[in-house]
Amino acid sequence: MKADLLIRGISQLVTAESPGPKHGAAMRQLRIIEHASLAVSDGKILWAGPESDWSGDAAAVVDVGRRAVVPGLVDPHTHAVWAGDRLADFDARISGVPYERILASGGGIWSTIRATASAPADELIRLAKPRIDALLRSGATTIEVKSGYGFSLDAEIAMLQVIRALSDASPARIVPTLLIHVPPKSAADRAACVSDVCQTLVPEVARQKLAAAVDVFIEKEAWSAAEAEPILASARQHGLAIKLHTEQFHRVGGLELGLRMGALSVDHLEACVAEQVALIACSKTVATILPGVSLHLGLPPAPGRALIDAGAAVAVGTDLNPGSSPLFSTATALALSIRLNGLTAQEALVAGTVNAACALGLDDAGRLEPGLPADFLVLDGSDWRELVYTLGANPVREVWIRGVSIPSCTAEGSGR
Ligand code: NIG
Ligand code: FE
């Protein structure tokens, strides 16, 4: 075998064993190779195994000095593009005003829409780039980014074009989602908006290939399940995948709708009840939980432990956004899922790699296996569990994408 590059000196090489979502107890099954090497050719993994078993040639060799290597993380849920800030909301919430009341009175998400929809594209790119870089430094080599702060059809398209520009400029793989976030105030405008989204926005987004999926925020202060249904149907009809923000504050039935319509993922689930846990567990839909929201808004954590015990496939994301989760580290989201949602370290790694990839409809991310892109992380310690143990420092020493080390992500390059 002839490799472009051999990574050696790996104390532990850790990965999920096979493609496809891992359900229930399978979320605890990792392949851990001690004293490993990883060979890369053409940006892809050529070989991975015990160091002593490598018998090929490599044009270059990098010794990582007895450190652990894990797959590049997949962040399956972010709103990384926004303008303005939500510091006034933060103050209001600290003094006891609920998130939903701020939203109902025209603040919250609405204030971010006002700031974002009026910002020029180059300003949105300038603001979002360091956020994407922060997620990348924290280990995310694949990052979903949603629109949703545009509101008008044109502003939503403009946001998706900004996401495309960010994707072109970043070494990370960016997966764009069209988010239909909050409805207009009057009933007539809501109905007209659903029809415009179905007949104009979704077809145009599909035509320009600006998004891989359509997401709808179903909640008392947002869309109803009945309003979301035609939007999701239109997405499916135009070849786009579907996902939902649902059961965040109340049991609103979005979860059942998502399962019935074959959503890739149902996200949030802080208000999901036992009966709904059982429904997700016997579906193919990934349950994406977002511990940063529970931490920042003080919501009850989504029932991660119960979901896995019931047999569901759980993913974890940052939900990076200015209002409900100003969490700029994908590794920290995994660390929080252990503390807040009751996941084990093994489950958290699977939730942030192979299962998160499945939540985006990807089968070639989040694993270390011959033929897949060589996207991997060199951790700061010899034990991979440092990744999900560490709070407040970066456990990721090097980020490699397609077999290339990202300079701004190395301890030296980032000035760490
Ligand atoms: O995932 N719940 C709705 N949307 C976002 C929050 C957006 C915001 O507060 O700006 C979320 O929590
Ligand atoms: Fe979100």
Side-chain angles (χ1 to χ4, degrees), residues 7 11-12 45 58 79 85 100 104 111 139 147 160 168 176 185 189 197 219 259 293 304 325 329 334 376 381 395 402:
I7 306 285
S11 55
Q12 298 176 323
I45 297 169
H79 308 247
D85 67 59
E100 288 178 279
S111 70
S147 69
L160 290 169
D168 291 345
K185 291 275 167 284
D189 289 349
V197 167
E219 191 44 68
L259 300 188
V293 177
S325 185
S329 165
L334 302 185
F376 60 90
R402 296 195 174 258

Side-chain angles (χ1 to χ4, degrees), residues 397-414:
R397 185 181 171 87
E398 293 169 27
V399 177
W400 291 70
I401 296 183
R402 296 195 174 258
V404 176
S405 173
I406 307 303
S408 59
C409 297
T410 60
E412 295 76 26
S414 67

Side-chain angles (χ1 to χ4, degrees), residues 77-79 82 86 89 99 103 107-113 146 148-149 179 181-182 215-219 222 245-246 248-249 267-268 270 290 293 296-297 299 318-325:
H77 185 138
T78 86
H79 308 247
W82 76 81
R86 297 276 281 281
D89 283 17
Y99 177 91
L103 177 59
I109 295 173
W110 288 112
S111 70
T112 302
I113 287 174
K146 299 176 196 293
Y149 293 128
L179 170 61
H181 211 167
V182 280
D215 187 344
V216 183
F217 178 26
I218 300 183
E219 191 44 68
H245 279 67
T246 195
Q248 182 179 5
F249 296 97
D267 300 33
H268 275 288
E270 293 87 344
L290 307 162
V293 177
H296 188 63
L297 296 188
L299 293 185
T318 55
D319 197 6
L320 170 61
N321 77 77
S324 72
S325 185

Side-chain angles (χ1 to χ4, degrees), residues 17 21 93 128 143 150 165 195 203-204 212 219 290 325 344 357 382 391 397:
E17 284 181 324
R93 286 199 308 94
I143 303 169
S195 134
E204 186 56 20
E219 191 44 68
L290 307 162
S325 185
T344 67
S382 58
L391 297 170
R397 185 181 171 87

Side-chain angles (χ1 to χ4, degrees), residues 146-336:
K146 299 176 196 293
S147 69
Y149 293 128
F151 189 62
S152 73
L153 305 200
D154 286 348
E156 285 299 318
I157 297 264
M159 272 197 83
L160 290 169
Q161 283 163 343
V162 162
I163 295 169
R164 179 171 281 173
L166 287 163
S167 171
D168 291 345
S170 176
R173 178 171 179 182
I174 307 282
V175 180
T177 298
L178 168 66
L179 170 61
I180 307 304
H181 211 167
V182 280
K185 291 275 167 284
S186 82
D189 289 349
R190 287 174 82 117
C193 183
V194 170
S195 134
D196 286 350
V197 167
C198 294
Q199 271 147 49
T200 309
L201 184 57
V202 169
E204 186 56 20
V205 165
R207 192 186 67 76
Q208 292 191 44
K209 296 192 174 24
L210 283 170
V214 176
D215 187 344
V216 183
F217 178 26
I218 300 183
E219 191 44 68
K220 282 190 181 165
E221 291 303 329
W223 299 98
S224 68
E227 288 169 319
E229 185 163 352
I231 298 175
L232 301 177
S234 165
R236 296 298 300 259
Q237 202 189 325
H238 289 89
L240 299 172
I242 58 175
K243 43 182 54 242
L244 290 171
H245 279 67
T246 195
E247 326 302 301
Q248 182 179 5
F249 296 97
H250 304 99
R251 182 175 181 178
V252 284
L255 184 150
E256 287 82 353
L257 175 70
L259 300 188
R260 179 158 60 75
M261 295 192 73
L264 282 178
S265 68
V266 284
D267 300 33
H268 275 288
L269 311 178
E270 293 87 344
C272 153
V273 300
E275 181 188 323
Q276 294 176 305
V277 166
L279 288 176
I280 301 181
C282 51
S283 79
K284 292 202 168 82
T285 296
V286 175
T288 298
I289 60 174
L290 307 162
V293 177
S294 300
L295 183 68
H296 188 63
L297 296 188
L299 293 185
R305 181 72 267 134
L307 282 159
I308 296 171
D309 288 345
V314 170
V316 170
T318 55
D319 197 6
L320 170 61
N321 77 77
S324 72
S325 185
L327 174 57
F328 292 76
S329 165
T330 308
T332 303
L334 302 185
L336 291 176

